Amino acid sequence: AAGVIQSPRHLIKEKRETATLKCYPIPRHDTVYWYQQGPGQDPQFLISFYEKMQSDKGSIPDRFSAQQFSDYHSELNMSSLELGDSALYFCASSLAHRGRLTYEQYFGPGTRLTVT
Amino acid sequence: AQSVSQHNHHVILSEAASLELGCNYSYGGTVNLFWYVQYPGQHLQLLLKYFSGDPLVKGIKGFEAEFIKSKFSFNLRKPSVQWSDTAEYFCAVETYKYIFGTGTRLKVLA
């Protein structure tokens, strides 16, 4: 069965550079979530999209932005990167259920971002 | 404010021991409940979920969880753990949004 795809899997950037992470949800899933997991830390919710509109916002820094496109894939844009942005960035997708915006989430393998 | 509490942050067990991980949430309305597992170096995977019906839910790899509405709890159990169960376990609650607990790191000694 198709899973959530994230690209790239690994990314190395320098401070103050920009990065774009991509997430391709499971086919027919209409909701995408982004999480950040720092070394030895728990996943922190960043932002989510439902039907191409932002549905919820968590602890996403102002330097980051994200969007969901017409094909439901999502991109997380990160600017002015800082050392503390080094983390594993998970994307998850789900299918809206009974009118609610969330259902069980299927996680991608993550993009490991290292800022040097 | 809605929250999810996992009381045990670190658990160490010997193989064949029984496991129970606590999860409590604070929300008075209808909830959907989930347990996820993250094996070392891997992404989160769904272990089991509860939406409605039988409050005792069976998941993959011999795990089960019981929803006790009066206690706002959804504890995860396994009768006999294996070394391969070493991982971090996250409880999650869906209300009108999705909230993760802080996770419990389980280490099973061979």
Side-chain angles (χ1 to χ4, degrees), chain B residues 21-90:
Chain B
L21 301 181
C23 173
N24 285 86
Y25 64 92
S26 61
Y27 183 73
T30 302
V31 295
N32 294 331
L33 299 156
F34 308 84
W35 274 98
Y36 290 90
V37 60
Q38 185 178 24
Y39 297 103
Q42 297 186 27
H43 58 280
L44 287 165
Q45 301 171 47
L46 182 68
L47 264 183
L48 49 79
K49 62 191 179 192
Y50 171 81
F51 286 171
S52 63
D54 188 344
L56 184 61
V57 180
K58 294 192 184 299
I60 62 171
K61 305 187 181 187
F63 286 91
E64 65 178 33
E66 184 174 12
F67 172 47
I68 302 179
K69 190 174 181 179
S70 60
K71 295 184 178 180
F72 299 91
S73 69
F74 190 56
N75 292 354
L76 181 71
R77 299 195 293 251
K78 185 170 184 178
S80 175
V81 295
Q82 301 172 309
W83 176 81
S84 57
D85 292 325
T86 293
E88 187 158 15
Y89 293 81
F90 293 91

Side-chain angles (χ1 to χ4, degrees), chain A residues 74-94:
Chain A
S74 178
E75 295 185 2
L76 178 66
N77 299 295
M78 310 159 73
S79 62
S80 302
L81 287 169
E82 302 173 357
L83 295 178
D85 296 329
S86 294
L88 188 60
Y89 290 83
F90 288 109
C91 167
S93 76
S94 70

Side-chain angles (χ1 to χ4, degrees), chain A residues 28-76:
Chain A
R28 291 186 296 279
H29 280 192
D30 50 20
T31 307
V32 168
Y33 310 81
W34 286 97
Y35 295 89
Q36 176 193 57
Q37 186 177 25
Q41 297 180 16
D42 310 315
Q44 296 296 314
F45 170 69
L46 292 178
I47 195 167
S48 63
F49 292 89
Y50 166 66
E51 282 290 343
K52 293 152 280 184
M53 299 286 287
Q54 181 181 309
S55 55
D56 200 2
K57 190 173 182 180
S59 52
I60 184 169
D62 292 339
R63 299 177 289 108
F64 295 5
S65 65
Q67 57 182 324
Q68 186 180 30
F69 295 86
S70 57
D71 63 351
Y72 296 104
H73 94 272
S74 178
E75 295 185 2
L76 178 66

Side-chain angles (χ1 to χ4, degrees), chain A residues 6-25:
Chain A
Q6 290 187 246
S7 68
R9 293 294 307 275
H10 301 272
L11 188 60
I12 300 175
K13 290 285 186 178
E14 295 187 355
K15 282 195 308 184
R16 292 180 289 277
E17 285 191 318
T18 61
T20 297
L21 309 185
K22 297 183 180 183
C23 170
Y24 298 86

